[in-house]
Structure formats: C-alpha cells, structure tokens
Amino acid sequence: MSIVKDQNLAPAGRRKINWVRDFMPALGGIEARFEQEQPFAGLRVAVSVHLEAKTANLGYVLAKGGAEVRLTGSNPLSTQDDVAAGLADMGVETFGIHGAMGEEYENLLIETLKFKPHLIVDDGGDLIHLLGGKCADLGEHLIGGCEETTTGILRLKAREREGILPCPMMAVNDAKAKHYYDNKYGTGQSVWDAIMHTANLVVAGKTVVVAGYGWCGKGVAMRAAGMGASVIVTEVDPFKALDATMNGFRVMPMDEAARYGDIFVTVTGCKDVITPKHFAVMKHNAILTNAGHFDCEVDVAGLAAMAVKRELRRDNIEGFTLPDGRVLNVIGEGRLVNLAAGNGHPAEIMDMSFSVQALALEWLVKHRDGLEKKVYQVPAEIDDAIGRVKLAAMGLSIDALTPEQEEYLNGWKA
C-alpha cells in the first residue's frame, strides 16, 4: 500500500539505509532487544519525520519490535524518493514523495493515519494537527506519541493549556540526548554542510547573522565562528543574548544586523524574522537560509513581491533581483535548509535522538493506563541510559559516584 515516487529506486535507498545503520550503534542495540522482547506486538505506529535514511532506520527498528509501522515525511523537500522506495522494499509501509505540496502532502499524512495508530512519532506537529481536527476519528486507539522539535512542543503545550491535546505526548526535544547533542552539534554541522555544498562559497571572512540563540542557534554560530566567520546573533531573550555576548558574538536587533550579513540563518521557531524592511537594506548577493522547522521565518513571499525578477541561479538557490539591481539569494525555498538542501544531521547524531524516540514509545506503552492527555518529559533514566550506551560505542568511559558521594550530594547531614 506504500505511495512512493518510483519503487525502482529501492536499491539506491536501501544502500543509504544500510550505510547509516552501521553508524547508529545505540539504536542497533535497542533493535536487538526489541526484536527479542517485541514491546510493540499488535500495535500500530505512525511516524512523520523527515523521510531520509536515519528516519527509515527508526521505522525499521520499530517494525522489528513488533509494530505495524507507517512512515511519512514531515517536510516536502526533505523526503528522499530513493529512501522512501528502499524502506517500502524493506517491508515498512511508506507514504512520501519529494516535492509533494499542499493537498498532496496532506493526503500522504492522512494515508499514514488511516490504519488508526496506537502510537505516533511527530516532527513539527503535523500528525497532531490532523488528529486534533479533521482526522479525529482516526485517533480512537491512541495511547500516546512523541514530538521531535521545539516548534512542535510549543504547539503541544498550547493544546494542553486549551484542553484539546488528543493524547499523551512525550517532549523528546527536551531530552538531554536531543538538545545537548542533536540540536547543538547536529544542527551546527548539517546546516553548514548544506549551505556550503549548495552555494560552493567560502565561509571564512564572511559575516554570518544567526537569528535565535537556543541550542540550535548555538551550534550554528559555533561552527560558523570555527570556520572563520564573523558572527552576529539576534535574539528576543535577554539571557540568551547575554550568553551569545559572553561567547564572543556581536548581538544586535535584526533591523541593524540586516545591513551587515553575508549569510543569514534563522533558527527561532517563530515567523516573520526576516521581512521586507530587512531585504531593503541587505547587501547585494546576501544568502538567506532557514534552519527552523517551518518556512515562515524568512518572508520569501514578501521578497518575491519586492523583486522584479526571480530565477533559479543554482540547484536549490533562487535569486530575487530587486528594483535597484541587488540580488538576494534564498536556499531551499526558505525551508529547513539542512534537509531541503542537504542530508540532515549525521547518522551518529540521529542515533541518539531516535534512540530516545524508540525508548519513549516503549515507556508510553508500559505506562499507558496511568497517563493523562498532557505533555510528559522524557524520564531521566532513558536519557542517562542512551548517554552511557553512546559513550561505550565511542570507546569512552566516565567515573561513577560512590555510595558515600551520593549520600553527600542527596543528603543534608554532611
């Protein structure tokens, strides 16, 4: 029942999936246990995450754990057609076509939900949006789910406050394994990998403007500075702005930073971060990218309305010529740049993030009878277990507290 662009692409997709499986040892260990214990036997799991090789591996691992899995993409431009075909060939029902927009994209999400899942894995809230609205009837068997992104968790908490959250949800993005590792180091590397591969331009010596200094923004700014760029950070949070300053970055409003930037990266999870008033003062040939979940941080429609000419200048780069002759360049249509124009986070990074997803789903099943329709944090024991497995996989070890030290830290008598 899979819906993919071309099933003949399966061999290439399977090669990609098999490659990343060799570099995801933590998830591999979970797979071995799941295959033996079958924690999801008789359960249906719907997954909506960027449809590329690491996500395919997660879907395959859940299926090995006994689940009936349906997997779709969470962004039209991040879906890789060969991976979708490869995963379908491996026995996981897959619904994803690169470039599917609007109604076609939504229909793929709906097809994914039609088997009425018990569990969901969401990335940005697309599945929850449907299950809390037009597809509410498809959520009658829901036990719970996991959310991968900061943006998605904000939406979940808003639904919880209004009493309209359709099922218990785990805030996977808030796990230490996710924001310490994935958001900072994964985003930091994959954003620049995508920009450099797509633009084929030097980073050293340029001025990079990073909008947002959360965990993702920290990674993007750190890697830009490491490659020799001068970094400006824009923020709305005073303490994040102070943190950026203490790390050696200039801090200023976007209204000012817009004049200086050669490359812009938005990482806020908000909308209208870069707008026509900023385009009006930017340098000729400035490059605009977004590393937040949705394509509303850079107002591409507003830029198009200002432009007298719009053309494809290079694969995944559109140039917008303004009336005064300046050209502003947008990578990946203003969508998530590291996936719309790249391969996403490295396999070793997603090994930890998807291990959290897998173990969080198992936790939901085990605790299903006592859960309310609210947002839950990932238990510390899951985080710590994944961290220790990852250290071991890297050949590293750490100290352990003695009973006396634990008593000293947790008591008051000393």
Side-chain angles (χ1 to χ4, degrees), residues 147-150 153 170-176 178-179 183:
E147 171 54 55
E148 174 85 358
T149 67
T150 303
I153 289 173
M170 297 286 282
V172 166
N173 188 74
D174 293 346
K176 287 185 290 185
K178 179 68 167 64
H179 64 251
N183 289 3

Side-chain angles (χ1 to χ4, degrees), residues 187-328:
T187 305
Q189 177 169 321
S190 63
V191 161
W192 287 108
D193 174 54
I195 292 172
M196 291 189 295
H197 173 76
T198 305
N200 194 29
L201 297 173
V202 72
V203 177
K206 287 188 170 62
T207 297
V208 171
V209 177
V210 179
Y213 201 66
W215 287 104
C216 293
K218 290 176 191 289
V220 173
M222 173 182 67
R223 294 303 185 214
M227 289 185 288
S230 172
V231 178
I232 296 172
V233 169
T234 71
E235 252 299 342
V236 296
D237 183 308
F239 288 98
K240 290 178 181 177
L242 287 169
D243 189 19
T245 299
M246 294 298 192
N247 281 311
F249 303 128
R250 288 183 287 167
V251 173
M252 63 186 71
M254 183 60 76
D255 286 2
E256 184 179 350
R259 300 177 181 275
Y260 303 117
D262 298 299
I263 303 173
F264 294 80
V265 185
T266 58
V267 210
T268 71
C270 196
K271 68 173 186 174
D272 298 336
V273 179
I274 301 180
T275 62
K277 67 177 179 178
H278 305 123
F279 304 141
V281 299
M282 285 182 177
K283 294 179 181 179
H284 172 58
N285 265 335
I287 294 173
L288 302 165
T289 71
N290 168 49
H293 187 79
F294 292 115
D295 58 340
C296 57
E297 300 200 23
V298 179
D299 183 6
V300 178
L303 178 58
M306 294 173 64
V308 296
K309 182 181 179 182
R310 178 177 182 173
E311 63 178 335
L312 187 67
R313 302 191 69 193
R314 187 176 166 89
D315 287 351
N316 255 332
I317 301 180
E318 278 193 293
F320 295 79
T321 303
L322 301 178
D324 61 5
R326 286 178 300 120
V327 177
L328 303 183

Side-chain angles (χ1 to χ4, degrees), residues 114-166:
K114 278 186 177 179
F115 71 159
K116 297 186 176 181
H118 298 97
L119 297 162
I120 64 170
V121 177
D122 216 354
D123 189 306
D126 284 345
L127 294 185
I128 280 291
H129 178 71
L130 289 169
L131 291 167
K134 66 188 293 183
C135 295
D137 60 312
L138 301 179
E140 60 180 303
H141 301 303
L142 282 174
I143 295 170
C146 300
E147 171 54 55
E148 174 85 358
T149 67
T150 303
T151 302
I153 289 173
L154 291 173
R155 303 296 184 269
L156 292 180
K157 290 180 177 178
R159 286 180 176 275
E160 181 185 340
R161 287 193 298 270
E162 295 182 26
I164 58 171
L165 190 62

Side-chain angles (χ1 to χ4, degrees), residues 47-58 71-80 83 105 121-124 126 148-149 291-294 335-340 342-345 350 354:
V47 179
S48 172
V49 183
H50 299 284
L51 211 173
E52 45 79 48
K54 284 87 71 180
T55 302
N57 191 29
L58 172 63
L71 193 146
T72 189
S74 61
N75 183 303
L77 294 187
S78 63
T79 293
Q80 296 182 9
V83 170
Y105 172 71
V121 177
D122 216 354
D123 189 306
D126 284 345
E148 174 85 358
T149 67
H293 187 79
F294 292 115
R335 297 179 183 274
L336 197 58
V337 67
N338 52 351
L339 281 150
N343 288 302
H345 292 358
M350 296 312 298
F354 285 159

